[in-house]
Amino acid sequence: MAFTETKTKSDQESLAQIEKERLRGLLAAGERPQAPSPLAAARAFGWRAMLKIKHVPEQLFDIVLFPIMMLLMFTYLFGGAIAGGTGDYLQFLLPGIMVMSIVMTTMYTGMGVNIDIQKGVSDRFKTLPIWRAAPMVGYLLADAFRYAAAGAIMFGTGMVMGYRPSGGPDGVLLGVVLLLVFCFAFSWIWTWIGLIARSEKTVMSISMSILFPLTFLSNVMVDPSTMPGWLQPVVNNTPITQLVDGVRGLFDGAVDSGAVVTTLLWSAGFIAVFGFLTIRAYNRK
Amino acid sequence: MTNQDTAVRAEGLVKHFKDTKAVDGVDLVVPAGTVYGVLGPNGAGKTTTVRMLATLLRPDAGSATVFGRDVVADPAAVRSQVSLTGQYASLDEDLTGLENLVLLSRLYGFGKAAARSRAEDLLEAFGLTAAAGKQVKGYSGGMRRRLDIAASIIITPKLLFLDEPTTGLDPRSRGQVWDVIRTIVAEGTTVLLTTQYLEEADQLAGRIAVIDTGKVIAEGTPGELKSAVGAGSIRLRLHHADQRDHARTVLAEALGAEVELDDDPVALTATLKPGEDTASQGSHALGELSRSGILVDDFSLGQPSLDEVFLALTDKVDA
C-alpha cells in the first residue's frame, strides 16, 4: 500500500516539469505595474499576517487564553485579600488587567519581525519598490485586530463574571480605542528590538524583562497609595499607569482627561523615537 | 562599453563584519545579456558581494553601478531593475505557494485579479500547480528553489542575482534550475550566479570570477580558467589491488604524467598534461592499460575540481 502511494507521488513529481514556453511568455510580457501606494503595501502585509493566523491558528491561544487566565486568576486569587470581595475587585481590576494582558502580547510583533529576518523573507521585501515601513505597519495593523479580539474576549468574560461598566458602551469603546492606539505606538519598541536582536529568543527575553516590571509596577492590580512613599511617584508616572487611569476612567464614566492626554503624548513619543530607530535599523540591516 | 552593455561594474568593493574582512576589494565587470559566474568556497565573500550589489548591504569602500545606476547613491533605481534569489529561500513558510506569489505580486503593484493570474501562471510555468495550495514549509528543496526563482521574475528583471541556486539540491532539481536559468537568459535578462561548483559555472556561465577570502583571484571564460589550471585527471579503480603498481608504471609512461596512489588500495589518479586534448589522453591511457592486461573496474575522466582550481590559483598568487 505504502509502495503504491510512493509510486503515485513520484509519477506526479515527474509530470511537474518546467514549462519553458510558458516561462518564456511570462518573461517576455514584461509587465510593470505602478508601485503600490504606502497604504496598499501596508494592507498587503496586513493580509499576510491574517493568512498566518489562518494557517497557524495555534498562535491565537496566547491572545485568547492568556487574558482569560489572568482575569480569572487575579480576580478569584487576590480579590478577597486586596478588596475584601471578588465583585468589587473585578470592578477595579478589569480595565487594568485588560491593559496588562494586551500590552504583554505586543511583544509577539518583535518576534515576528525577527523571524522574518532569520528566514530571509525580509530580504525579499527590501528589494521591492514599496514604502519601507510597510512591512512593520502591516504587522501592527494585523496585531491591532488581535488586540481588539483579545479585548472583546476579556470584556465578555468580565461581563459574565459580573463586571458592569458605568461608562456605558461609548466609554468602553473609547477606552478600548485608547488602548489600541497605545499598543500600536508601544509596539515600535519591539519592531526595533526585533530588528537588532540576534534571535527571537533574545527578543523574548528582552521584552519580558521590560514588560514584567513595567506592567506590575503600576496601578493595574493595586492602588499605588498602598505602596511605599518612594515608589509612588515612580509608579504614578509610568505610561502604563497613565494608560490604565485613562481606560479605567472611560470605562467607569469618570473620564480622567489628564491621563488620556498623557497617554496620547506617550504614544506619540513612542512612535517618534522607536519608529525612527526601527526604520533606521531596517535600512541598515 | 556603455551603460546598457554593462550590467554590473564594481570597483574595489570592501565590507567588514566586526574584525573580519568579508569582501576585500572586489572588482567585477558583468556584460549584459550573459550569465556571469562568481565561483568560490563557503565564506569567500560571494553572498556579501551580491548583497552589496543588490543594495541590501552598504559597502564600506569602493563603488558599484548596476546598468549605470550607483548602488549607494541611487538604490531605488537599482532595485527597480534587479531581483535577488538568496541562498536560503526568501519565502514565507507559513503561507502557501500561491499566497506567497500573490502577496509579492500585490507588492509589485498588480491589482487583485492581475496578481492572482500572474501567480497562477508562474506556478504553472514552474511545475508547481499541484502544490499551489500547500504551505511552503512542506515543500522539497527543489520546489522551494523554483518558487523562489518564480518570485524573482514576477516583474521581469534586467539583472537577476542567484546566490547558490543549486546548493543542496538533488541532480534532477539542479537540472531544472539550470533549464530555468538558461530560459531566463535567453529572454534577455542578465544573470549573476554564485556557486561552489566549477561544473555549474562551466555549464552556465560565459565568464567566471573566482573569488577567495574576499578577493577576485582569477577571471575569464571557463576555458581560460581550466587551461590555466590543467587538463584534469583520470581516476581508476582496478579489479585487483596487486596490479596497482603495474598500472602506475603503465600510466606514467603512456601519459608522461604524475600518477598518485589513493588511500583506497585499488584506486589511483593520473593528472593529465595541460593543453592537450583530454579525451584522447583518456582513451590512449585506457588502451595501454588493457594491452598490459590490467583489469579496470571503474574509469573516470574528470575536469579539474574546484579544489584543484583553487590550489592552482592560490599557488600562483603566492608565487
Side-chain angles (χ1 to χ4, degrees), chain B residues 75-100:
Chain B
V78 172
R79 263 179 234 133
S80 72
Q81 317 202 52
V82 306
S83 248
L84 168 68
T85 301
Q87 198 169 343
Y88 306 101
S90 28
L91 302 159
D92 191 328
E93 303 214 320
D94 290 334
L95 268 49
T96 67
L98 179 68
E99 287 164 351
N100 265 288

Side-chain angles (χ1 to χ4, degrees), chain A residues 16 19 22 24 26-27 32 34 36 44 48 51-52 55 119-121 123-124 126 128 130 132 285, chain B residues 51 56 79-80 84 90-94 99 103 107-109 118 124-125 127 148 152 156 172 187:
Chain A
E19 295 192 30
R22 200 176 270 268
R24 242 173 239 142
L26 283 171
L27 286 161
R32 250 170 207 282
Q34 237 186 341
R48 165 180 181 240
L51 284 173
K52 273 172 160 328
H55 288 299
K119 299 243 164 170
V121 198
D123 275 357
R124 168 83 63 200
K126 269 192 218 172
L128 295 170
I130 51 170
R132 296 231 115 185
K285 265 270 170 180
Chain B
R51 288 174 62 87
L56 289 172
R79 263 179 234 133
S80 72
L84 168 68
S90 28
L91 302 159
D92 191 328
E93 303 214 320
D94 290 334
E99 287 164 351
L103 172 70
L107 291 171
Y108 274 112
R118 183 81 186 168
E124 185 121 359
D148 209 12
S152 296
T156 312
R172 195 172 150 273
E187 287 302 314

Side-chain angles (χ1 to χ4, degrees), chain A residues 156-190:
Chain A
T157 312
M159 291 290 279
V160 171
M161 289 162 68
Y163 177 75
R164 293 294 175 263
S166 341
D170 297 353
V172 171
L173 205 64
L174 283 174
V176 172
V177 168
L178 183 67
L179 173 58
L180 292 185
V181 167
F182 178 84
C183 286
F184 176 85
F186 187 68
S187 297
W188 288 97
I189 300 181
W190 313 133

